[in-house]
Amino acid sequence: MPKYTSGPTGYPTYWLRAKKELKAADPVIADIIKACGRGGLVGKGDPFVTLVRSIVAQQISVRAAESIWSRLEEAAGGISPEFVAARDEAELQGAGLTQRKASYIRDIAVAFLDGRVAPTMWHAKDDEGVITELVGLRGIGRWTAEMFLIFHLLRPNILPLDDIGLIRACERHYTAGEKMTREEIKQVAECWQPWCTVATWYLWRSIDPTPVAY
């Protein structure tokens, strides 16, 4: 296992409780959970992979991100700080990354190797503390940091209001396709507390049966 691997793996311990409480709190989410069947968020344990996946996925479709990810794995010889840092930006761009994304990903690989990134310290920080630290890295904005909190740290109450999948799912299920503002989504999500991560995961599934994974 890589020395920087520090995240939880498998299903979050809170998942079954969260499903039960969400079904009681919101009939829309209850129907979505029933329709989705089994499955759930799964931690993979590798912070570097999660960050790179999140950057790859910025502002593109899930299908496009998966295609680029496969080519990036092949181009780098594997997704690790060592392998990625050993490639130049042109090689990373050859996998389908934009110049900026290639630069960001390589910078983060170097940051892992030289110790500027210390994943083991994130477990003691609250959600906003982790976000503040991550957005200090080039290429990571709030959305990417929120994906990291969801998929690596498995934090239970993340509501990524800028996520297009969440927005589209809320519009489909709560306003019959009418546009929703961030404030309106926040109001809908009040009854999801403290399980916004779980509600978000199921809303993603409701518009794409393939589970989102970073």
Side-chain angles (χ1 to χ4, degrees):
M1 298 287 282
K3 64 183 179 181
Y4 51 82
T5 297
S6 60
T9 58
Y11 291 108
T13 57
Y14 57 75
W15 199 259
L16 293 179
R17 176 186 172 189
K19 284 174 61 177
K20 180 178 179 181
E21 294 183 7
L22 284 167
K23 286 191 288 186
D26 185 339
V28 173
I29 296 294
D31 287 344
I32 293 171
I33 290 174
K34 182 178 180 180
C36 287
R38 295 185 177 183
L41 179 65
V42 178
K44 303 295 180 64
D46 190 322
F48 182 73
V49 166
T50 298
L51 284 176
V52 174
R53 271 193 175 274
S54 298
I55 291 172
V56 168
Q58 289 171 357
Q59 300 179 323
I60 61 175
S61 70
V62 172
R63 182 172 296 181
E66 284 299 320
S67 175
I68 293 171
W69 179 260
S70 296
R71 284 181 281 160
L72 181 61
E73 280 190 301
E74 183 176 354
I79 305 299
S80 72
E82 292 84 0
F83 286 149
V84 172
R87 301 294 184 267
D88 61 32
E89 290 180 16
E91 290 177 287
L92 300 179
Q93 283 182 259
L97 293 170
T98 64
Q99 187 278 329
R100 283 189 176 182
K101 286 185 179 181
S103 176
Y104 296 155
I105 288 170
R106 194 175 185 285
D107 280 358
I108 289 171
V110 173
F112 268 77
L113 293 175
D114 68 18
R116 283 180 289 137
V117 170
T120 56
M121 303 298 292
W122 291 330
H123 298 286
K125 293 179 180 288
D126 64 14
D127 296 340
E128 288 300 322
V130 176
I131 289 171
T132 297
E133 184 169 337
L134 285 174
V135 299
L137 297 171
R138 289 182 67 241
I140 297 181
R142 185 175 182 90
W143 177 86
T144 304
E146 288 170 337
M147 294 305 102
F148 186 82
L149 286 168
I150 291 172
F151 288 99
H152 179 66
L153 294 177
L154 306 184
R155 296 291 174 88
N157 200 33
I158 305 303
L159 183 66
L161 289 168
D162 294 319
D163 183 81
I164 190 63
L166 174 63
I167 294 167
R168 288 176 177 167
C170 285
E171 290 171 347
R172 175 183 293 184
H173 295 290
Y174 292 94
T175 61
E178 295 294 322
K179 298 293 184 182
M180 293 183 72
T181 66
R182 290 167 57 97
E183 197 57 40
E184 288 170 335
I185 294 174
K186 285 175 70 175
Q187 290 173 5
V188 166
E190 286 178 2
C191 68
W192 304 343
Q193 304 284 342
W195 310 119
C196 287
T197 292
V198 183
T200 297
W201 190 89
Y202 279 105
L203 283 161
W204 283 332
R205 287 291 306 279
S206 75
I207 61 172
D208 188 341
T210 301
V212 178
Y214 294 135

